[in-house]
Amino acid sequence: MTVLSVRFFFCAGLILLLLFTCGISAKTIPPTDTLDGFDEFITQKMADFDVPGVVVGIIENDTVVYLKGFGVRELGKPEKVDPDTRFQIASVTKYFTGGAIGTLVDEGKLDWDTPVAEYLPGFTLKDPYVGNHSNLRDLLAHRTGLRRDGELLGRIGISNDEILYRMRFLESDAGFRERYLYSNAGYFIAGEVAAQAYGKSWENLTDERLIVPLGMTRSGARHETLYLDDNHITGHASTPDGTLEIIPFEEASLPAAGQIVSTGRDMTQWIRLMLNNGTIEGTMVLSPKTVEDIHAASFVAGPSGPLHDPNGAVGLGCDSYYFLDERVIEKNGALDGVRSIVVLIPGKKSGIVVIANKQLTAFPEAVRDEFLERYIGRSGIDLQALELQNQKGWNSLIKNPDRPENPGPATISPGAIEGVYASPLYGSIQIDLGPDAEHMIIGLGPNRYQGNLVHWTDNTWYLSFPNPDDLVGYLTFIADESGTVTGIESNEFGPFTRA
C-alpha cells in the first residue's frame, strides 16, 4: 500500500540566502566539509537508478545546510525540479498523522493507550477482542494484525464512515500485538479517531495543527494541493524491460496513511520541529513528551536500516534503528511515480529529506546511506553496492507472477462466471466477459473500480489492478452440481456469494 524530486543550485563559493519567506523559515548556509562532493554523489546515483528528478534537504543544528533540486519534473520536458516543487510524500504522511494526533494528546482530547472504541461508538473489528482493545499506539505501530486488503476500500467509492464500518469485515494475518504487520487500514482508523476528537476532518486537523503553524506554505493534506500551480512533478516508473515511462499519479486510497503533498523546502521545517523536540522558532507545536512518544520504540519489527539492526522498532508514524552507535529515526514512502524518505539522527541534531519522482527505486535509501556514513561514520560495508542489489528486488515487483506451465482447464465457462457477487467487505463485484475466454473484467464496489481477471489454472483466476500498489490475488469459482456458479473463494479478497 506502503511509494520525488527538487532542483535548486547554489552558486559555487557564494552564500545563497533564502528569498522564499513564510511565517517560519530557517536560514540556509553553504554545505559544510561533511557535504563536499555531495552534489556529484547525487548526480551519480540518479544515473545509477535512472531517476529523472530529485530534491534533497539537510538540517544541521536547526539550520538548513543543503537544499537542492536535481533533474527534471517530467521526462522529456525542460522544467527543473527546485526546492519548491510539489510532490506527494506518500507514507511519510504517517509521520505527520502521528504528529497531528499528538497535538490532541497534548490537549488531553486523546490518549495513546485508551481503546479507540471509547472514542468511536459502535466501532469493532472482525475479532471483537481486538476491536475493543486496540488503541492508537496499536494502530500507529502496526501491531493490530490487520491485513492490507483494506486499502481497496478507499478506491471503490464509499464514504469514510462506510469504510470505518466495513473494517469489521477485514481479516487479520497475525494475532493482536503478535508481530509487526504494516497496515494502512490502521492509519485510516487512527485518522478517523482524530477527526472525531477534533470535530473536523483528518485533512483539516493536519493542515491547521501542523502544516500552517510550520509555515509549510506549499504543502497540504489534500491530494489537490499537488495541482495548485504548474511547479509539481510527474510520476515515473520503469517497465519490465527497463524503459523509463511516465505514469499517472496514484491518489492515496486511505488519506491518513499517505495523502500529504509537500516540497523539499517545506519538509525541512518538519525535520527542524522533530529534532527540536516539538518547538520551532520558539513556538511549541508538540510537547517534548509527545515527540518522545512518537519516536519511542512501541514495537519491535525486526531487522531494519542499512546495517540490518536486529532490534529495529516501530514508533507512532516512524521507525527507528541503530546505525553504528547512533539511533536513527526514519520514515519512507512510495506511491505510483514517487519515493520519499525522511531520516533524523537526534544525537547529531541532523536530518535529511529525499524525494524522487520515480516509484520502485532504491535511490532514496542510497542517499540515506551516504548521509548516515558522512554524519555518523563509515560502516566498512559497501552500502551502495547493496542498494543496487536491493534494486533488483524492487524490479521483481514490476511483473505479475508467472502462470503455471501446465495450467489445468477450467470446468466452468466464462459465461457462467459472468454476473454480480456480494461481499461484506467490498459490497459487490461485477464480473464481465473480457476480450477472450482467458480474460475477464471486474468492477469492485459502487464505482466499479476496474480490475482484470486472467485464467490461472482449473477454476481459479488471477485478479490484478492497473495500479501496481493494489492488492492482487486469486479467485476460485465454486459451482453446484448443475454447473451454476454460487460464489467465490479467495484467501486475499475473502468470500463472495452470487447476488
Side-chain angles (χ1 to χ4, degrees):
M1 276 196 16
T2 271
V3 232
L4 326 185
S5 58
V6 179
R7 170 180 168 83
F8 182 80
F9 286 105
F10 291 145
C11 297
L14 297 178
I15 297 176
L16 184 62
L17 297 177
L18 292 178
L19 299 178
F20 171 79
T21 57
C22 56
I24 304 170
S25 62
K27 68 178 185 242
T28 305
I29 66 173
T32 64
D33 291 344
T34 306
L35 294 173
D36 284 350
F38 203 57
D39 287 8
E40 291 78 10
F41 170 82
I42 291 173
T43 301
Q44 181 59 55
K45 291 299 113 178
M46 290 175 68
D48 290 346
F49 291 94
D50 197 18
V51 177
V54 307
V55 63
V56 180
I58 296 176
I59 296 291
E60 285 183 29
N61 297 315
D62 201 33
T63 301
V64 180
V65 297
Y66 192 92
L67 182 58
K68 297 188 180 186
F70 299 82
V72 295
R73 302 178 210 161
E74 181 176 322
L75 189 67
K77 292 187 177 180
E79 290 80 12
K80 305 297 185 182
V81 172
D82 64 50
D84 300 313
T85 300
R86 289 188 173 101
F87 308 84
Q88 298 165 293
I89 64 170
S91 281
V92 174
T93 296
K94 293 179 174 68
Y95 201 0
F96 282 78
T97 294
I101 292 172
T103 67
L104 301 178
V105 171
D106 283 339
E107 290 184 355
K109 292 181 177 178
L110 291 175
D111 179 82
W112 301 118
D113 299 307
T114 297
V116 297
E118 295 189 21
Y119 301 120
L120 296 174
F123 173 79
T124 190
L125 293 172
K126 184 111 180 184
D127 183 335
Y129 180 89
V130 181
N132 290 334
H133 291 84
S134 291
N135 55 41
L136 287 167
R137 194 182 304 275
D138 294 318
L139 296 167
L140 299 181
H142 303 286
R143 61 188 201 185
T144 60
L146 288 174
R147 283 167 50 152
R148 67 172 292 252
D149 46 341
E151 297 169 31
L152 278 173
L153 292 177
R155 303 202 191 280
I156 64 174
I158 57 179
S159 67
N160 281 4
D161 286 344
E162 182 64 20
I163 293 173
L164 189 63
Y165 174 81
R166 292 193 190 179
M167 288 292 169
R168 68 191 60 203
F169 304 118
L170 190 62
E171 298 285 350
S172 296
D173 273 346
F176 184 48
R177 300 175 183 167
E178 176 187 26
R179 62 182 173 89
Y180 168 78
L181 193 64
Y182 198 85
S183 174
N184 285 334
Y187 269 77
F188 171 80
I189 296 168
E192 292 305 291
V193 172
Q196 177 73 22
Y198 190 57
K200 298 181 183 180
S201 68
W202 166 85
E203 289 88 344
N204 282 5
L205 168 66
T206 304
D207 283 342
E208 294 169 12
R209 289 300 184 86
L210 296 178
I211 289 173
V212 170
L214 289 175
M216 299 172 67
T217 59
R218 291 183 59 77
S219 302
R222 290 174 170 82
H223 179 71
E224 51 266 32
T225 305
L226 190 65
Y227 306 102
L228 292 179
D229 59 33
D230 292 335
N231 190 5
H232 65 76
I233 59 100
T234 296
H236 304 82
S238 291
T239 62
D241 66 6
T243 304
L244 189 65
E245 64 177 5
I246 294 168
I247 61 173
F249 284 119
E250 174 188 356
E251 189 169 350
S253 61
L254 300 174
Q259 190 167 272
I260 289 176
V261 171
S262 191
T263 71
R265 191 191 307 276
D266 281 358
M267 287 302 296
T268 63
Q269 294 292 88
W270 174 256
I271 294 172
R272 292 178 64 208
L273 177 77
M274 300 310 279
L275 285 173
N276 282 334
N277 297 314
T279 295
I280 191 166
E281 303 289 350
T283 299
M284 189 174 75
V285 179
L286 290 166
S287 72
K289 175 63 167 61
T290 291
V291 174
E292 180 182 358
D293 285 340
I294 290 170
H295 288 167
S298 289
F299 206 52
V300 175
S304 184
L307 301 182
H308 302 287
D309 175 5
N311 296 312
V314 194
L316 307 181
C318 57
D319 307 317
S320 64
Y321 55 84
Y322 275 85
F323 185 91
L324 302 179
D325 58 348
E326 289 286 343
R327 187 168 186 257
V328 175
I329 306 296
E330 177 177 299
K331 186 69 191 89
N332 59 20
L335 285 171
D336 283 1
V338 294
R339 281 292 330 281
S340 57
I341 197 167
V342 167
V343 182
L344 279 62
I345 313 172
K348 300 289 187 180
K349 290 291 185 182
S350 300
I352 188 171
V353 56
V354 183
I355 316 175
N357 60 351
K358 183 184 179 184
Q359 166 60 311
L360 293 178
T361 176
F363 172 86
E365 284 74 18
V367 178
R368 170 205 64 185
D369 295 352
E370 181 70 9
F371 168 76
L372 293 176
E373 291 204 310
R374 286 174 180 244
Y375 276 80
I376 297 175
R378 292 294 170 181
S379 65
I381 299 170
D382 189 345
L383 297 178
Q384 296 306 314
L386 290 177
E387 295 301 353
L388 287 172
Q389 191 66 31
N390 289 339
Q391 184 64 55
K392 295 180 180 179
W394 285 83
N395 293 343
S396 69
L397 300 177
I398 296 173
K399 63 187 294 291
N400 285 324
D402 294 325
R403 189 182 181 193
E405 289 186 11
N406 298 299
T411 61
I412 304 173
S413 70
I417 288 172
E418 189 176 23
V420 179
Y421 301 79
S423 158
L425 183 60
Y426 299 112
S428 66
I429 182 172
Q430 170 77 47
I431 300 179
D432 297 312
L433 294 178
D436 56 58
E438 295 288 297
H439 298 81
M440 288 181 283
I441 298 169
I442 71 103
L444 196 63
N447 70 359
R448 295 290 185 260
Y449 185 62
Q450 186 170 315
N452 301 296
L453 276 177
V454 177
H455 181 246
W456 207 249
T457 184
D458 301 322
N459 290 329
T460 297
W461 270 254
Y462 177 74
L463 173 58
S464 63
F465 297 88
N467 182 342
D469 284 342
D470 284 341
L471 181 70
V472 297
Y474 302 90
L475 304 186
T476 299
F477 293 87
I478 308 302
D480 60 20
E481 293 180 358
S482 68
T484 300
V485 177
T486 58
I488 303 169
E489 293 179 352
S490 172
N491 289 332
E492 296 81 14
F493 296 94
F496 292 81
T497 56
R498 191 91 188 216

